[in-house]
Amino acid sequence: MAEENDFTVAGPVVENEVQSLPHAYSCTLTPELVAKAREELQEKPEWRLRDVQALRDMVLKDYPNLRTRLDDGFLLRFLRARKFDYDKALQLLVNYHASRRSWPEVFHNLRPSTIKHVLDSGFLTVLPHPDPDGRLVLCLRPGKWRPSDYPFLDTIRAIYLTLEKLIQPEETQVNGLVILADYNGVGLAHASQLGPFLAKKVVGILQDGFPIRIKAVNIINEPRIFKGIFAIIKPFLKEKMAQRFILHGSDLNSLYQRIPSGILPEEYGGAAGKLNTADWSTTLQNSEEEFVVEFCQPDPLEGAALTDSMLFEGEPSEAQCDDSYRGVRSQLYYCY
């Protein structure tokens, strides 16, 4: 159980009393997904609202001043992401908010209009059709990012907003997500932007600070330098997540064993037409108002001191960054 902390609660909770909450929950899962959630996530429909109330009570008791949504649908994201383990779901929720405070460069004024240039570059999109397991496919193309055009943190902002949008449907909360990362065109100029401290923050958020289940990360067209990139990332990956990275190289038949060609675009030998990045960009741009409400409000941890139990750490010192950068450069050059 987490210790009491001096955070600030806003929204539907006032002075530790649960008022009538907006957005009354109504399950949208098909019978098949209800059964899947029961088997894989320990989610029992007959106990679902009891479990949500238990998590809500824990938030109010242990973090009485945390500004957070407490409606059923929102809290369910965290319960599902941690297979209805109350303590782990609570820690995930706290980490979710703590990440925003620890990384203002990413989370300040985070809305689609501020990352339109990233979307326009074709850096990411979401394939229009899910895989046979019902999992949406997030397609990343790091080679489309030119370091001279905009900072690497802008790509992190675009990925985070995309994940926020993808996690809204209950189907994604149950089925999880698959990532397809095409490293064609990635070179030393890209790789040298990623150091251990940045890698630790990105991995920390994806593993322990966001309510999504990443089921596989398929890497294709990886250059020789990817060995150095992965060497930077791997120390921060949990064993289960590290095992979900699959390197295919240029072998599309290997990729098709994980993602069927029928849902892949022509660029990857698929039958789903040309890769369309405009539709997802439009989806995010049309969500501007909801993201303004979500991310352009006062800091949910404003005025509070982060405790040692929280995942996210402060910025490294300049000397640490210099030493880290030299080590990364040496490692990447070795790959050549």
Side-chain angles (χ1 to χ4, degrees), residues 83-331:
K83 297 185 177 181
F84 281 74
D85 182 308
Y86 296 167
D87 291 317
K88 291 181 179 179
L90 176 64
Q91 187 61 56
L92 179 61
L93 175 64
V94 173
N95 288 346
Y96 172 82
H97 287 296
S99 65
R100 302 191 191 183
R101 183 180 191 190
S102 69
W103 212 355
E105 299 89 346
V106 169
F107 293 98
H108 176 69
N109 195 32
L110 183 58
R111 47 181 166 175
S113 60
T114 66
I115 50 94
K116 185 176 184 299
H117 55 289
V118 180
L119 301 174
D120 290 345
S121 73
F123 173 80
L124 67 73
T125 191
V126 177
L127 300 189
H129 304 292
D131 72 3
D133 294 317
R135 304 174 301 193
L136 293 174
V137 180
L138 170 59
C139 181
L140 304 175
R141 298 191 294 171
K144 294 293 183 181
W145 165 55
R146 296 200 307 177
S148 60
D149 287 349
Y150 53 85
F152 179 68
L153 289 184
D154 284 3
T155 68
I156 302 301
R157 288 163 64 87
I159 291 172
Y160 197 92
L161 281 178
T162 291
L163 293 178
E164 281 283 354
K165 190 65 180 175
L166 288 176
I167 200 59
Q168 291 176 359
E170 291 192 283
E171 293 81 2
T172 303
Q173 296 169 27
V174 173
N175 290 324
L177 178 75
V178 170
I179 294 176
L180 170 60
D182 178 4
Y183 272 75
N184 183 44
V186 170
L188 183 61
H190 300 84
S192 61
Q193 304 292 317
L194 181 66
F197 290 103
L198 185 55
K200 183 180 181 181
K201 279 197 167 186
V202 173
V203 172
I205 288 175
L206 293 179
Q207 287 188 146
D208 297 302
F210 195 86
I212 198 163
R213 303 168 67 220
I214 299 176
K215 306 298 291 182
V217 181
N218 295 276
I219 310 292
I220 62 172
N221 298 323
E222 65 272 20
R224 290 193 334 184
I225 203 172
F226 182 78
K227 181 179 179 181
I229 297 173
F230 195 62
I232 298 170
I233 298 172
K234 190 173 181 180
F236 309 114
L237 294 173
K238 296 177 181 177
E239 183 178 358
K240 180 183 285 189
M241 180 58 69
Q243 293 173 350
R244 292 177 179 175
F245 278 71
I246 306 105
L247 308 184
H248 301 283
S250 59
D251 185 355
L252 291 179
N253 288 323
S254 173
L255 175 64
Y256 299 157
Q257 293 176 24
R258 301 285 180 167
I259 305 177
S261 60
I263 70 168
L264 288 169
E266 294 175 5
E267 288 83 348
Y268 305 125
K274 290 191 175 297
L275 185 66
N276 183 335
T277 62
D279 286 352
W280 183 251
S281 177
T282 299
T283 296
L284 283 184
Q285 298 299 325
N286 289 343
S287 304
E288 178 86 3
E289 186 173 336
E290 70 180 68
F291 283 118
V292 167
V293 171
E294 186 71 20
F295 290 102
C296 300
Q297 304 300 322
D299 179 358
L301 304 177
E302 186 175 8
L306 295 180
T307 66
D308 292 338
S309 65
M310 290 191 175
L311 169 71
F312 303 97
E313 302 174 355
E315 295 294 332
S317 68
E318 185 174 343
Q320 287 177 312
C321 287
D322 288 344
D323 290 343
S324 170
Y325 182 72
R326 283 194 292 271
V328 170
R329 295 282 293 193
S330 298
Q331 198 169 29

